């Protein structure tokens, strides 16, 4: 892959220097989908990332822009199918990791149905984990099974 | 427009029952862009909304999905150009307003460069405003001027 950056987490997962749990879910010429990295608080949360290192949505080229919407639609569909989420959240901030990526998160019935409350809930969980006040283990077996299902359904869908 | 829902805020703006400041910025057959409604804490924040009432990204049809990416790219470009934002945030939660829409927010240099901190900052501003502890007035003249510029640049770009 062209134009990868040494210290970019997006590029590291694209070049196999870091391996997201369960492996690649889907890829086309411009985008790749894999699971978020540990610590995992919401299993089935995936990342749709641009294969090229690029830091601004304004700078997407024509092919990257054209394939973005169909990928958001198909990934949302399979994530909803597999996790039974009530809503799929799609967001691109690119602040911590500047490489263009969209977080696609299943907001299941047990999670707060509000962006602000969900952000606070996630922040609180991360803070507990960081301070080692939570003894949670990453649900890697569950994630691996979800990733297998996501890969199966998205491949079947695109065939 | 077909399939509008009585109590949906998305449908209300699409049918002119509520008028976002500055008017329509851009529309094609499937999507429409206008400014967020008051109270406005980040001028230049716009909404890319589906013209049809539909509540799940999984249910986008082929034309809606194909035109989504190019719209995210072009709107991000003109919002960045007009507001000089360091980063453009794009997010679709659809919890408060279920009608599919993407919030496109200019994260300018004076705002926290983190989704969690920006969400908290916005939540705090909204809370102060709700409790009438802030005496801010909506920056409607500034918003109107920004909307004019956005409309000009996106039209020029697509010509």
């Amino acid at each position: 892959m062209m134009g990868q950056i040494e210290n970019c987490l997006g590029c590291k997962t694209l070049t196999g220097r870091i391996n997201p749990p369960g492996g690649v879910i889907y890829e086309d010429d411009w985008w790749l989908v894999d699971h978020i990295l540990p610590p995992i608080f919401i299993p089935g949360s995936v990342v749709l990332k641009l294969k090229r290192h690029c830091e601004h949505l304004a700078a997407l080229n024509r092919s990257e822009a054209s394939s973005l919407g169909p990928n958001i639609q198909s990934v949302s569909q399979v994530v909803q199918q597999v996790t039974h989420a009530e809503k799929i959240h799609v967001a691109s901030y690119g602040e911590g990791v500047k490489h263009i990526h969209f977080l696609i998160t299943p907001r299941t019935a047990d999670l707060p149905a509000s962006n602000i409350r969900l952000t606070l809930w996630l922040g609180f969980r991360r803070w507990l984990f960081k301070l080692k006040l939570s003894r949670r283990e990453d649900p890697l077996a569950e994630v691996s099974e979800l990733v297998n299902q996501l890969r199966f359904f998205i491949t079947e869908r695109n065939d």
Side-chain angles (χ1 to χ4, degrees), chain A:
Chain A
M1 281 177 233
M2 274 171 29
Q4 305 300 340
I5 303 289
E6 186 60 28
N7 287 320
C8 166
L9 185 61
C11 293
K12 280 183 185 170
T13 58
L14 287 164
T15 52
R17 283 177 289 156
I18 290 179
N19 295 300
V24 174
I25 294 167
Y26 170 80
E27 64 180 312
D28 60 21
D29 288 347
W30 308 283
W31 299 90
L32 184 142
V33 182
D34 49 27
H35 199 277
I36 60 164
L37 297 170
I40 295 164
F41 300 100
I42 306 179
S45 298
V46 304
V47 187
L48 169 66
K49 70 191 84 177
L50 193 64
K51 283 189 165 180
R52 172 172 72 98
H53 183 88
C54 170
E55 302 190 355
H56 296 284
L57 289 165
L60 289 178
N61 68 35
R62 196 176 293 254
S63 304
E64 292 162 346
S66 297
S67 51
L68 173 59
N71 281 335
I72 287 175
Q73 189 273 328
S74 60
V75 177
S76 297
Q77 186 183 70
V78 295
V79 171
Q80 193 163 26
Q81 181 174 359
V82 162
T83 63
H84 311 291
E86 293 189 343
K87 204 84 190 191
I88 302 297
H89 294 182
V90 174
S92 176
Y93 309 109
E95 300 282 12
V97 177
K98 293 193 188 306
H99 188 124
I100 289 175
H101 64 285
F102 287 79
L103 289 166
I104 299 183
T105 306
R107 204 277 296 153
T108 44
D110 56 323
L111 294 172
S114 136
N115 171 38
I116 292 181
R117 276 183 283 142
L118 185 56
T119 302
L120 289 174
W121 180 89
L122 271 173
F124 184 65
R125 291 290 181 104
R126 281 206 194 95
W127 176 77
L128 284 181
F129 179 78
K130 217 169 165 177
L131 295 182
K132 303 189 179 170
L133 294 173
S134 87
R135 304 199 308 158
R136 63 183 294 292
E137 285 172 41
D138 275 300
L140 290 179
E142 180 191 350
V143 166
S144 178
E145 174 57 24
L146 284 173
V147 165
N148 282 339
Q149 290 181 37
L150 290 169
R151 194 185 293 116
F152 174 80
F153 284 120
I154 203 163
T155 308
E156 194 184 45
R157 189 187 173 283
N158 289 335
D159 273 350

Coordinates of all heavy atoms in Angstrom, one line a residue, chain A residues 52-84:
Chain A
R52 N -5.6 4.6 2.0 CA -4.5 5.5 1.8 C -4.4 6.4 3.1 O -5.4 6.7 3.7 CB -4.9 6.4 0.6 CG -4.1 7.6 0.3 CD -4.5 8.2 -1.0 NE -5.8 8.9 -0.9 CZ -5.9 10.2 -0.8 NH1 -4.9 11.0 -0.7 NH2 -7.2 10.7 -0.8
H53 N -3.2 6.8 3.5 CA -3.1 7.7 4.6 C -3.5 9.1 4.1 O -2.8 9.7 3.2 CB -1.7 7.8 5.2 CG -1.6 8.7 6.3 ND1 -1.9 8.3 7.6 CD2 -1.4 10.1 6.4 CE1 -1.8 9.3 8.5 NE2 -1.5 10.4 7.7
C54 N -4.6 9.6 4.7 CA -5.1 10.9 4.3 C -5.9 11.4 5.5 O -6.5 10.6 6.2 CB -6.1 10.7 3.1 SG -7.1 12.2 2.6
E55 N -5.8 12.7 5.8 CA -6.2 13.2 7.1 C -7.5 14.0 7.0 O -8.0 14.5 8.1 CB -5.1 13.9 7.8 CG -3.9 13.0 8.1 CD -2.8 13.6 9.0 OE1 -3.0 14.7 9.4 OE2 -1.9 12.8 9.3
H56 N -8.0 14.3 5.8 CA -9.1 15.2 5.7 C -10.2 14.6 4.7 O -9.8 14.3 3.6 CB -8.7 16.6 5.3 CG -7.8 17.3 6.3 ND1 -8.3 17.8 7.5 CD2 -6.5 17.4 6.4 CE1 -7.3 18.3 8.2 NE2 -6.2 18.0 7.5
L57 N -11.4 14.6 5.2 CA -12.5 14.1 4.3 C -12.6 14.9 3.1 O -13.0 14.4 2.0 CB -13.8 14.1 5.1 CG -13.9 13.1 6.2 CD1 -15.1 13.4 7.1 CD2 -14.1 11.7 5.6
A58 N -12.2 16.2 3.2 CA -12.2 17.1 2.0 C -11.3 16.6 0.9 O -11.5 16.9 -0.3 CB -11.8 18.5 2.4
A59 N -10.3 15.8 1.3 CA -9.3 15.4 0.3 C -9.5 14.0 -0.3 O -8.7 13.5 -1.0 CB -7.9 15.5 1.0
L60 N -10.7 13.4 0.0 CA -11.0 12.1 -0.6 C -11.1 12.3 -2.1 O -11.6 13.3 -2.6 CB -12.4 11.7 -0.1 CG -12.6 11.2 1.3 CD1 -14.0 10.8 1.6 CD2 -11.6 10.0 1.6
N61 N -10.5 11.4 -2.8 CA -10.6 11.4 -4.3 C -12.0 10.9 -4.7 O -12.8 10.4 -3.9 CB -9.4 10.8 -5.0 CG -9.4 9.3 -4.8 OD1 -10.4 8.6 -4.8 ND2 -8.2 8.7 -4.7
R62 N -12.2 10.9 -6.0 CA -13.6 10.6 -6.5 C -13.9 9.1 -6.2 O -15.1 8.8 -5.8 CB -13.6 10.8 -8.1 CG -15.0 10.9 -8.7 CD -14.9 11.2 -10.2 NE -14.4 12.6 -10.3 CZ -15.2 13.6 -10.7 NH1 -16.5 13.4 -11.0 NH2 -14.7 14.8 -10.9
S63 N -13.0 8.2 -6.4 CA -13.3 6.8 -6.2 C -13.5 6.5 -4.7 O -14.4 5.7 -4.3 CB -12.2 5.9 -6.6 OG -11.9 6.1 -8.0
E64 N -12.7 7.1 -3.8 CA -12.9 7.0 -2.4 C -14.2 7.5 -1.9 O -14.9 6.9 -1.1 CB -11.7 7.7 -1.7 CG -10.4 7.0 -1.9 CD -9.2 7.9 -1.6 OE1 -9.4 9.2 -1.4 OE2 -8.1 7.4 -1.5
A65 N -14.6 8.7 -2.5 CA -15.9 9.3 -2.1 C -17.1 8.4 -2.6 O -18.0 8.2 -1.8 CB -16.0 10.7 -2.6
S66 N -17.0 8.0 -3.8 CA -18.1 7.2 -4.4 C -18.3 5.9 -3.7 O -19.4 5.4 -3.5 CB -17.8 6.9 -5.9 OG -17.8 8.1 -6.6
S67 N -17.2 5.2 -3.2 CA -17.4 3.9 -2.5 C -17.7 4.1 -1.0 O -18.1 3.1 -0.4 CB -16.1 3.1 -2.7 OG -15.0 3.8 -2.4
L68 N -17.6 5.3 -0.5 CA -17.8 5.5 0.9 C -19.3 5.2 1.4 O -19.5 4.4 2.3 CB -17.5 6.9 1.3 CG -17.8 7.3 2.8 CD1 -17.1 6.4 3.8 CD2 -17.4 8.8 3.0
G69 N -20.2 5.8 0.7 CA -21.7 5.6 1.1 C -22.1 4.1 1.0 O -22.7 3.6 2.0
P70 N -21.9 3.4 -0.1 CA -22.3 2.0 -0.2 C -21.6 1.2 0.9 O -22.2 0.3 1.5 CB -21.8 1.6 -1.6 CG -21.9 2.8 -2.4 CD -21.5 3.9 -1.4
N71 N -20.3 1.5 1.3 CA -19.7 0.8 2.4 C -20.3 1.1 3.8 O -20.5 0.2 4.6 CB -18.2 1.1 2.5 CG -17.4 0.4 1.4 OD1 -17.8 -0.7 1.0 ND2 -16.3 0.9 1.0
I72 N -20.7 2.4 4.0 CA -21.4 2.7 5.2 C -22.7 2.0 5.3 O -23.1 1.4 6.3 CB -21.6 4.3 5.3 CG1 -20.3 5.0 5.6 CG2 -22.7 4.6 6.4 CD1 -20.4 6.5 5.6
Q73 N -23.4 1.9 4.2 CA -24.7 1.2 4.2 C -24.5 -0.3 4.4 O -25.2 -0.9 5.3 CB -25.4 1.4 2.8 CG -26.8 0.9 2.7 CD -26.9 -0.5 2.3 OE1 -26.1 -1.0 1.6 NE2 -27.9 -1.2 2.9
S74 N -23.6 -0.9 3.7 CA -23.5 -2.4 3.9 C -22.9 -2.8 5.2 O -23.4 -3.8 5.8 CB -22.6 -3.0 2.7 OG -21.3 -2.4 2.7
V75 N -21.9 -2.0 5.7 CA -21.4 -2.4 7.0 C -22.4 -2.1 8.1 O -22.6 -3.0 9.0 CB -20.1 -1.6 7.3 CG1 -19.5 -1.9 8.7 CG2 -19.0 -1.9 6.3
S76 N -23.2 -1.0 8.0 CA -24.3 -0.8 9.0 C -25.2 -2.0 9.0 O -25.7 -2.4 10.0 CB -25.0 0.5 8.6 OG -24.2 1.6 8.7
Q77 N -25.6 -2.4 7.8 CA -26.5 -3.5 7.7 C -26.1 -4.8 8.4 O -26.8 -5.4 9.2 CB -26.8 -3.8 6.2 CG -27.9 -4.8 6.0 CD -28.1 -5.1 4.5 OE1 -27.3 -5.7 3.9 NE2 -29.2 -4.6 4.0
V78 N -24.8 -5.2 8.1 CA -24.4 -6.5 8.7 C -24.1 -6.3 10.2 O -24.4 -7.3 10.9 CB -23.1 -7.1 7.9 CG1 -23.5 -7.5 6.5 CG2 -21.9 -6.2 7.9
V79 N -23.6 -5.2 10.6 CA -23.4 -5.0 12.1 C -24.8 -5.0 12.8 O -24.9 -5.6 13.8 CB -22.7 -3.6 12.3 CG1 -22.7 -3.3 13.8 CG2 -21.2 -3.7 11.8
Q80 N -25.8 -4.4 12.2 CA -27.1 -4.4 12.8 C -27.7 -5.9 12.8 O -28.2 -6.3 13.8 CB -28.1 -3.5 12.0 CG -29.4 -3.2 12.8 CD -30.1 -2.0 12.2 OE1 -29.9 -1.7 11.0 NE2 -30.9 -1.3 13.0
Q81 N -27.5 -6.6 11.7 CA -28.0 -8.0 11.6 C -27.3 -8.9 12.7 O -28.0 -9.7 13.3 CB -27.6 -8.4 10.2 CG -28.0 -9.8 9.9 CD -27.7 -10.1 8.4 OE1 -27.2 -9.3 7.6 NE2 -28.0 -11.3 8.0
V82 N -26.0 -8.7 12.9 CA -25.3 -9.6 13.7 C -25.4 -9.3 15.2 O -25.4 -10.1 16.1 CB -23.8 -9.6 13.3 CG1 -22.9 -10.2 14.3 CG2 -23.7 -10.4 12.0
T83 N -25.5 -8.0 15.5 CA -25.5 -7.5 16.9 C -27.0 -7.3 17.4 O -27.2 -7.0 18.6 CB -24.7 -6.2 17.2 OG1 -25.3 -5.2 16.4 CG2 -23.3 -6.4 16.7
H84 N -27.9 -7.2 16.5 CA -29.3 -6.9 16.8 C -29.4 -5.5 17.5 O -30.2 -5.2 18.3 CB -30.0 -7.9 17.8 CG -29.8 -9.3 17.2 ND1 -30.4 -9.8 16.1 CD2 -29.0 -10.3 17.7 CE1 -30.0 -11.0 15.9 NE2 -29.2 -11.4 16.8

